[in-house]
Amino acid sequence: MGGLEGRVAIVTGSGQGIGRAEAEVLAARGARLAIWDWHLDLAEATAAHIISHGGVAKAYRVDVGDSLRVESAMEQVRSDLGPVSVLVNNAGITRDNLLYKMSEDDWDTVMNIHLKGAFLCSRAAQADMVKHRWGRIVLTSSTSALGNRGQSNYATAKAGLQGLTRTLAIELGPFNITVNAVAPGFIDTDMTRGTARRLNLDPEQFKEAISSTVPVGRVGVPEDVAHAVGFFCDPESSYVSGQVLYIRGGP
Ligand SMILES: NC(=O)c1ccc[n+]([C@@H]2O[C@H](COP(=O)([O-])OP(=O)(O)OC[C@H]3O[C@@H](n4cnc5c(N)ncnc54)[C@H](O)[C@@H]3O)[C@@H](O)[C@H]2O)c1
């Protein structure tokens, strides 16, 4: 593999789940990893795993919706690891509810973490990328962007991220920075296990039921998304920008 030797990569929400797999894939390709998560213990576990496999990684406690913390963490990463050339905006949560039960707080919290978080982190990271005329930014949309019952807040944020992806690709392209998005379907993580529990379903039975609707006959695992992120971040993917790649085991 390789390709990212010496480059500094930030993956937000990489304490567990999809983000952790993404950080591990980028580290395996030679990147020096900044592990951002609002749970420092999870971030430290990911960093320790990467280091134990011969990589370079450092953990940071960051809430991506907090602009002051994003700016200060970016500065810390620069001084600890060097200028940032890869950013994967992955941190996210769900606050599902049918419209009539959805609170203003459910709406604002999801918008703040997914949409504002990706905006704040991308704005902070682009400075190094523009300066060095090289960068890779990946955003995390979802098949929910196409509409999903009980997720008016999440689906709206995930659709908005597709607009942000295309716009940043246009603005940053002249600086040799590509911006793309992954849009996963059902991936087996804490997030989807939480959804099963909220629906009063057994997570294993929920997975089986979903698998039967997926053309390849299984649900996704974090590595399925991580390898797509690895492709977007590859130096040889420099003519791939503004794209949204659905990772859902079928069309
Ligand atoms: N699991 C799926 O089926 C699926 C499908 C489509 C999209 N996604 C998206 O993929 C991303 C990762 O999801 P996952 O399934 O791995 O979830 P997860 O809950 O397993 O992991 C999310 C991580 O993000 C961190 N996080 C949450 N809010 C944060 C914040 N404000 N600042 C910093 N860190 C924060 C959490 O602590 C956690 O470590 C999310 O954006 C999610 O919306 C997931």
Side-chain angles (χ1 to χ4, degrees):
M1 266 197 283
L4 295 175
E5 289 82 4
R7 301 234 178 246
V8 175
I10 297 174
V11 182
T12 70
S14 48
Q16 65 177 29
I18 296 171
R20 177 172 170 147
E22 291 168 345
E24 289 172 9
V25 162
L26 296 178
R29 288 172 172 246
R32 300 146 65 81
L33 261 295
I35 309 298
W36 283 17
D37 205 288
W38 62 7
H39 293 300
L40 186 60
D41 53 335
L42 294 179
E44 283 172 344
T46 301
H49 182 81
I50 289 172
I51 292 165
S52 74
H53 283 73
V56 176
K58 195 162 168 41
Y60 301 81
R61 185 200 300 275
V62 185
D63 173 355
V64 296
D66 175 343
S67 65
L68 287 179
R69 183 61 193 125
V70 166
E71 291 292 339
S72 69
M74 196 64 69
E75 204 44 59
Q76 264 176 274
V77 172
R78 263 182 214 120
S79 89
D80 293 342
L81 301 173
V84 176
S85 36
V86 175
L87 168 69
V88 183
N89 288 296
N90 162 81
I93 56 153
T94 52
R95 285 281 197 90
D96 298 353
N97 250 325
L98 293 173
L99 178 62
Y100 76 100
K101 285 196 282 192
M102 184 164 290
S103 69
E104 215 174 316
D105 188 56
D106 291 336
W107 180 270
D108 288 345
T109 303
V110 165
M111 293 302 154
N112 201 47
I113 294 177
H114 290 272
L115 268 183
K116 190 174 162 195
F119 153 66
L120 291 174
C121 294
S122 303
R123 190 181 63 176
Q126 57 80 35
D128 283 348
M129 299 180 190
V130 168
K131 188 170 167 194
H132 297 280
R133 295 289 191 275
W134 199 96
R136 297 281 183 266
I137 298 177
V138 182
L139 292 91
T140 306
S141 181
S142 165
T143 50
S144 294
L146 305 170
N148 200 24
R149 186 179 167 80
Q151 291 198 312
S152 54
N153 51 358
Y154 184 83
T156 303
K158 292 305 198 187
L161 286 167
Q162 297 195 7
L164 182 61
T165 300
R166 294 196 184 93
T167 303
L168 295 187
I170 293 166
E171 289 189 17
L172 298 174
F175 302 100
N176 195 27
I177 300 166
T178 67
V179 186
N180 293 287
V182 286
F186 187 106
I187 309 295
D188 184 18
T189 67
D190 258 24
M191 182 177 276
T192 42
R193 285 189 284 271
T195 304
R197 284 189 289 271
R198 264 195 309 281
L199 296 170
N200 285 324
L201 298 169
D202 171 66
E204 288 308 310
Q205 284 173 348
F206 188 46
K207 260 169 44 183
E208 262 172 51
I210 299 278
S211 298
S212 67
T213 68
V214 179
V216 300
R218 67 172 176 89
V219 298
V221 292
E223 290 70 23
D224 292 321
V225 183
H227 289 298
V229 166
F231 164 73
F232 281 141
C233 295
D234 196 290
E236 292 185 353
S237 302
S238 57
Y239 206 54
V240 180
S241 195
Q243 303 304 305
V244 178
L245 181 61
Y246 283 87
I247 302 163
R248 62 185 313 191

